């Protein structure tokens, strides 16, 4: 459904419908009758006026693979986070909305989720603990986060990338070293002045970290202080002098400062 003036949408039970797209619609409430479509695999709602959703609704759709509610008016996400209900949902995208706070416990039923996209919101805080064993990519860039503590998040062996660019962070999130599969960390355009390299050194698969446009003034003098597989370190836009880069570091790690 595209560019419709319809404000209420009702679905009758239908086992044939596998995908629903609603775009440029003035609807203010999520059409919960979507739950009567047992074969639904993909839901896309874009440019709507939907202000709230309950993640519990989607636990009933066992075949649902992707849920995208983007560029809308989403402000509240409810969800009790019961792990007694599980679903095969792979991707949740809630980007370009107006979320200010979010309880991560609500995503607990989605054990097979591989991508969680929360970019371009107004997030100031994340509460609860992330408990998604299959998660490979977490995207939180373009928000208003001043701090992020991942110490209460459950360990996952599959998280490969976390993006936190364009926030207000003053330090690298605590306990990232717990996620052994992390290969890429993006923290550009924050307010980070100090990095605990001894923590990042514990990430055995970290290949790249982007710290450009922060407030870092120096980096470790010894190559041994860096993660063992690090190949790319972006530092441009920081008040750092090239002469502080250890001799020979660029031979094994591509360091960008300008």
């Amino acid at each position: 459904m595209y560019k419709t003036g319809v404000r209420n949408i009702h679905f009758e039970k239908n086992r044939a419908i596998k995908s629903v797209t609603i775009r440029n619609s003035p609807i203010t409430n999520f059409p919960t009758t979507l739950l009567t479509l047992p074969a639904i695999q993909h839901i896309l709602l874009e440019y709507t006026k939907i202000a709230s959703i309950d993640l519990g609704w989607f636990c009933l759709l066992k075949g649902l693979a992707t849920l995208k509610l983007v560029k809308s008016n989403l402000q509240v996400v409810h969800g009790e986070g019961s792990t007694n209900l599980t679903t095969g949902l792979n991707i949740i995208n809630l980007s370009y909305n107006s979320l200010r706070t979010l309880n991560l416990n609500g995503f607990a039923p989605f054990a097979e989720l591989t991508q969680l996209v929360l970019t371009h919101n107004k997030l100031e805080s994340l509460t609860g603990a992330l408990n998604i064993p299959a998660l490979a990519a977490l995207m939180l860039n373009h928000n208003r986060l001043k701090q992020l503590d991942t110490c209460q998040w459950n360990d996952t062996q599959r998280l490969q990338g976390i993006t936190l660019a364009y926030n207000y962070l003053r330090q690298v999130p605590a306990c990232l070293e717990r996620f052994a599969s992390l290969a890429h960390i993006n923290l550009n355009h924050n307010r980070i002045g100090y990095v605990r390299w001894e923590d990042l050194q514990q990430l055995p698969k970290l290949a790249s970290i982007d710290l450009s446009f922060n407030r870092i003034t120096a980096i470790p003098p010894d190559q041994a202080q860096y993660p063992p597989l690090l190949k790319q370190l972006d530092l441009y836009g920081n008040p750092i002098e090239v002469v502080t880069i250890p001799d020979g570091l660029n031979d094994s790690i591509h360091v960008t400062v300008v």
Side-chain angles (χ1 to χ4, degrees):
M1 300 177 65
Y2 301 89
K3 295 183 179 180
T4 174
V6 176
R7 295 180 179 274
N8 293 291
I9 300 173
H10 179 84
F11 291 90
E12 296 289 344
K13 189 171 183 178
N14 188 312
R15 296 184 179 277
I17 298 177
K18 295 184 178 181
S19 178
V20 170
T21 297
I22 301 173
R23 183 177 286 135
N24 292 96
S25 170
I27 61 172
T28 57
N29 295 312
F30 184 88
T32 54
T33 50
L34 274 172
L35 306 180
T36 65
L37 307 177
I40 193 76
Q41 297 177 8
H42 308 284
I43 297 174
L44 168 61
L45 297 101
E46 184 177 27
Y47 293 112
T48 73
K49 297 184 182 297
I50 295 172
S52 67
I53 59 170
D54 189 326
L55 292 172
W57 295 335
F58 308 104
C59 296
L60 303 175
L61 298 173
K62 300 302 182 182
L64 187 63
T66 61
L67 169 64
K68 298 181 180 180
L69 200 169
V70 300
K71 298 178 181 178
S72 293
N73 187 43
L74 189 63
Q75 301 173 35
V76 179
V77 175
H78 300 286
E80 296 183 359
S82 172
T83 54
N84 294 327
L85 294 172
T86 58
T87 175
L89 194 58
N90 296 133
I91 299 172
I92 294 179
N93 186 340
L94 303 177
S95 60
Y96 291 93
N97 281 293
S98 299
L99 295 171
R100 291 185 180 274
T101 185
L102 187 64
N103 189 336
L104 297 175
N105 290 336
F107 296 96
F110 309 112
E112 298 302 317
L113 196 69
T114 59
Q115 291 185 30
L116 179 56
V117 186
L118 301 168
T119 68
H120 295 86
N121 274 279
K122 301 176 182 179
L123 285 169
E124 298 175 352
S125 66
L126 296 175
T127 60
L130 197 65
N131 182 17
I132 308 176
L135 192 66
L138 175 61
M139 300 169 214
L140 286 161
N141 51 288
H142 291 85
N143 277 291
R144 301 175 182 177
L145 295 170
K146 294 182 179 180
Q147 62 180 6
L148 180 63
D149 187 340
T150 69
C151 297
Q152 301 304 314
W153 296 6
N154 284 357
D155 292 294
T156 173
Q157 298 302 310
R158 300 186 187 181
L159 186 62
Q160 298 175 19
I162 183 168
T163 302
L164 285 156
Y166 289 91
N167 276 283
Y168 302 145
L169 298 173
R170 295 184 179 275
Q171 61 183 12
V172 176
C175 298
L176 284 183
E177 67 274 10
R178 298 171 62 244
F179 306 108
S181 290
L182 262 182
H184 308 285
I185 301 173
N186 189 342
L187 288 160
N188 73 60
H189 288 86
N190 275 279
R191 300 174 180 178
I192 298 169
Y194 175 72
V195 179
R196 289 177 57 87
W197 292 98
E198 61 269 28
D199 293 340
L200 295 178
Q201 186 188 30
Q202 299 177 49
L203 290 168
K205 297 182 180 180
L206 188 63
S208 70
I209 180 167
D210 189 345
L211 289 163
S212 55
F213 294 100
N214 276 284
R215 300 174 180 178
I216 298 167
T217 58
I219 59 175
D222 187 349
Q223 182 176 331
Q225 293 177 271
Y226 294 88
L229 294 184
L230 190 65
K231 297 299 180 185
Q232 179 74 36
L233 174 59
D234 292 314
L235 291 164
Y236 50 87
N238 281 281
I240 185 172
E241 298 292 339
V242 176
V243 293
T244 64
I245 297 177
D247 291 338
L249 183 61
N250 263 313
D251 295 339
S252 58
I253 303 172
H254 182 67
V255 181
T256 305
V257 293
V258 292

